[in-house]
Structure formats: C-alpha cells, structure tokens
Amino acid sequence: MADRMTRVIGIVSGKGGVGKTTFSVNLGIALGRLDKKVLLIDCNITTPHLAYYLGAEDYFITLNNIFSGEVNEKFAPSAHAGIAFIPASEELRDIIKIDFDKLVKHVNKISKSGVFDFIILDSAPGLGKEGTSVLRSADEILFVTDPTVPNITDIVR
C-alpha cells in the first residue's frame, strides 16, 4: 500500500443546474495541472453527465458495473484528456435495484489504494439516497449553489 493520503471531496447541492459537474471537472483539471493524481466519479447515477463534460465517449466501465459486482473498482477508472474518471451508466436498465449505500465501500477501497491524491465525487442534487451516499463517502464537502433564497435554504438544510 502506498504512503499517499487521498482526500475524498464531495461536490453537492440542494438543487440541480447550479454547476456541480462544471465545478467538479474544473477542480479536477486544476488539481491535475498541479501534478496531483485525481479521480472524478459521477455519483449522479440516475442522471449522469460527467462524461459529457469531459468530452469522453470512449469508456466501457461504469460505476453501475462496480455496484453490480461485474468489475473490481481498481480496474474501473478510464482516462480522457489526462483525467481519470468513473462515469455512471446512461442506460435506464442499469439503475434498477441500485444500492447507493455501496458507494461508501467502493470509494473507501479506491481511497485506501493510495493511487490518487484526490477523489472528487460529483453528486446528484438534493438529499435523496444518491446525495446522502456522497455525504457519507466524502471526507470533505463543497457546497455549490447560486445566490437565490431557495437554493441557499437547501444548502443550509
């Protein structure tokens, strides 16, 4: 096991459309430019967008494959434009019977491998099972919002 200490950062919001994925990708790129090893994980399993933001079309393994036990998490990361990432599946059939609680276990395994300096978890919006699984998996949380009362209220909650 490596000496590397991995920071797991959850990017969350109370509402969709406030820029979580944009922020996640830009943070990952910026850290990569600082010679940090970064893994982005699309934890928005029901409506994934991370691969689009990276411009990636050439991936074959998704977070859903890890959850179903088809693939070991250490073989899952793809790379595109110098960024390691694990997308979520865009197939509707792949979200049936998803156990979001598995995220904690798989993120812990990747983190303990010591391969990455940072793991950035791009969360689904809100406090549903997807969002709360990111809150439980991350060591640190960055809240993304816009300056409107309803969105700030959601962040405070």
Side-chain angles (χ1 to χ4, degrees):
M1 192 172 309
D3 296 343
R4 188 180 305 252
M5 174 76 159
T6 303
R7 291 174 63 183
V8 180
I9 302 173
I11 310 300
V12 302
S13 74
K15 179 185 178 311
V18 297
K20 285 182 309 301
T21 303
T22 300
F23 184 84
S24 297
V25 169
N26 285 319
L27 178 60
I29 290 169
L31 290 168
R33 289 183 178 166
L34 294 171
D35 293 325
K36 301 299 180 186
K37 292 188 185 292
V38 180
L39 173 65
L40 296 172
I41 301 177
D42 195 342
C43 299
N44 189 347
I45 295 168
T46 54
T47 53
H49 298 120
L50 183 67
Y52 293 122
Y53 281 69
L54 289 171
E57 298 174 6
D58 56 344
Y59 59 87
F60 300 98
I61 298 172
T62 68
L63 187 59
N64 306 67
N65 297 122
I66 297 170
F67 280 13
S68 69
E70 298 168 46
V71 176
N72 184 298
E73 60 277 326
K74 71 180 178 181
F75 300 114
S78 297
H80 186 78
I83 299 292
F85 71 102
I86 300 174
S89 174
E90 297 173 14
E91 298 295 327
L92 186 57
R93 69 179 178 272
D94 290 340
I95 63 172
I96 297 169
K97 297 183 183 179
I98 284 287
D99 180 0
F100 297 104
D101 292 330
K102 290 182 178 181
L103 184 66
V104 175
K105 176 181 89 171
H106 294 296
V107 168
N108 280 337
K109 283 184 181 179
I110 296 169
S111 176
K112 288 179 181 174
S113 73
V115 172
F116 299 100
D117 296 304
F118 292 90
I119 298 173
I120 299 172
L121 307 175
D122 182 30
S123 179
L127 295 173
K129 289 183 179 184
E130 285 174 283
T132 56
S133 69
V134 169
L135 293 174
R136 288 191 320 277
S137 300
D139 301 320
E140 305 170 52
I141 302 294
L142 294 176
F143 295 100
V144 178
T145 191
D146 60 26
T148 60
V149 172
N151 290 340
I152 292 172
T153 302
D154 287 343
I155 291 296
V156 170
R157 182 178 325 136

